[in-house]
Amino acid sequence: MRRLAIIGVGLIGGSLARALRNAGAVEEIVGIGRNPAHLSRAIELGVIDSATQSIAAGVVNADGVVICVPVGSMEEIFRQLSGHLNPSTIITDVGSTKQSVIAAAESAFGYLPPMLVPGHPIAGTEQSGVEASFAELYRGRRVILTPTPLSNPQAVATVSSLWRATGAVVELCDASYHDTVLAATSHLPHLLAFALVDALANLPDQRDIFNYAAGGFRDFTRIAASDPTMWCDIASANRNALLTMLMHFNKEVNLITQLIENNDYNALHELFSRAKKARDALTPRLAATTAQSHE
Ligand code: NAP
């Protein structure tokens, strides 16, 4: 690509820019955002070549636009893009939910643009902002593209090669399947981490409790330091799948509560053993992702 516009130069957009620059995959990157100080910092860090707060100005002559803002802001961004893109400009995004992004695009444009190829890198950290971005974030990680029935095959191929240039492995799937799977493996764990920290913080003697927090607590709750706006947006955008997962999980918590109330430690041992077996089987696959663990 000659000219790429990245809307939202934070952790995900900044890491994408860095990786593409390192790979020599893009000649020029324009960063678009709300906060001029953040954009200046992105230029200082060499993440982008130039910056603007105006979407209309930033996308002029762009071959591609990557939207890297929280999913709740996507519709507004699509509205601002409408009427300012060349017919050949490829549009993609990195949002953690996919059906909501497709619906936002359709609502803003009044139709599904053929050059729209929705995407989601399964990589990240609990940190935010361009300072936290790094070029290796996507190396060896999966990026899921969820093309719509109207997505132009050439646009899908171009977005796939863009991500491959970052070292990522690209997979295609249906947006609804993506949202169901991610509700289970990413969105539910984040909600549980927020819930555990909040529950403990609300105990009367919580200061003392946190003094004794160690490895298990740290591992379980690291993702509770993630950005609240981003996660509220995800909870709202993937509401139905998430509610189904929460109900399923609540049943399990109720079961464990009952087993302890009934002193049924044989059944509890069986449950723990089942869980350990399932987790042990995942260890080799998860080992590759320990450093970068969002989703
Ligand atoms: P981030 O570090 O907070 O970056 C978001 C950027 O978007 C910021 O630079 C912010 O710009 C900009 N922004 C926010 N709202 C905007 C708006 N209305 N108009 C223009 N710019 C706006 O967040 P992130 O972690 O990169 O997440 C971005 C997207 O990636 C989200 O959709 C998220 O679901 C998805 N995602 C995140 C992860 C992860 O681990 N974090 C992983 C995969 C996918 P200003 O600084 O100027 O406000």
Side-chain angles (χ1 to χ4, degrees):
M1 264 192 201
R2 206 187 53 74
R3 188 177 160 94
L4 182 71
I6 295 187
I7 306 178
V9 191
L11 170 72
I12 296 296
S15 297
L16 176 61
R18 288 180 191 265
L20 292 174
R21 280 162 101 74
N22 283 3
V26 179
E27 279 177 35
E28 183 193 355
I29 300 179
V30 184
I32 305 172
R34 297 171 302 187
N35 186 322
H38 294 165
L39 292 171
S40 300
R41 187 67 187 130
I43 295 177
E44 270 167 33
L45 290 169
V47 174
I48 52 176
D49 296 292
S50 60
T52 171
Q53 289 171 267
S54 158
I55 288 186
V59 302
V60 171
N61 293 330
D63 301 308
V65 177
V66 190
I67 310 173
C68 306
V69 305
V71 288
S73 299
M74 293 274 178
E75 184 164 345
E76 176 51 30
I77 301 288
F78 286 130
R79 281 191 199 287
Q80 291 184 47
L81 281 172
S82 182
H84 295 286
L85 294 172
N86 295 332
S88 62
T89 306
I90 290 169
I91 317 164
T92 186
D93 77 295
V94 298
S96 303
T97 59
K98 299 296 5 129
Q99 291 176 107
S100 75
V101 170
I102 293 170
E106 194 161 21
S107 159
F109 289 101
Y111 61 95
L112 269 179
M115 300 313 272
L116 173 69
V117 183
H120 177 204
I122 312 296
T125 75
E126 71 283 11
Q127 285 158 15
S128 301
V130 71
E131 300 272 358
S133 65
F134 57 102
E136 296 302 309
L137 178 59
Y138 305 114
R139 184 153 301 283
R141 306 301 301 278
R142 274 188 299 173
V143 171
I144 301 177
L145 301 183
T146 62
T148 74
L150 301 182
S151 293
N152 176 310
Q154 190 52 52
V156 177
T158 304
V159 175
S160 299
S161 10
L162 206 64
W163 279 112
R164 281 195 201 102
T166 69
V169 179
V170 176
E171 284 177 21
L172 269 57
C173 89
D174 176 68
S176 134
Y177 181 69
H178 167 280
D179 289 355
T180 304
V181 170
L182 270 291
T185 56
S186 167
H187 307 169
L188 178 67
H190 277 80
L191 259 62
L192 299 183
F194 284 122
L196 177 65
V197 175
D198 190 48
L200 296 191
N202 285 335
L203 287 172
D205 51 355
Q206 58 93 1
R207 265 199 321 167
D208 200 29
I209 278 187
F210 287 131
N211 284 343
Y212 292 94
F217 181 80
R218 184 198 58 218
D219 291 349
F220 191 92
T221 60
R222 181 182 54 76
I223 52 180
S226 301
D227 182 58
T229 303
M230 182 175 121
W231 281 98
C232 270
D233 281 9
I234 292 171
S236 156
N238 206 16
R239 181 177 180 274
N240 292 343
L242 200 41
L243 284 174
T244 306
M245 284 316 306
L246 278 168
M247 275 187 263
H248 182 65
F249 185 79
N250 282 337
K251 276 191 202 154
E252 192 78 9
V253 173
N254 289 339
L255 172 64
I256 290 179
T257 310
Q258 266 173 24
L259 294 179
I260 296 174
E261 273 173 359
N262 298 339
N263 290 317
D264 190 348
Y265 298 112
N266 285 337
L268 192 65
H269 190 275
E270 241 173 66
L271 187 154
F272 287 169
S273 303
R274 259 196 330 266
K276 174 172 165 46
K277 200 171 159 200
R279 182 60 177 80
D280 285 348
L282 284 175
T283 302
R285 207 177 322 155
L286 293 177
T289 65
T290 44
Q292 310 138 9
S293 57
H294 167 80
E295 313 205 346

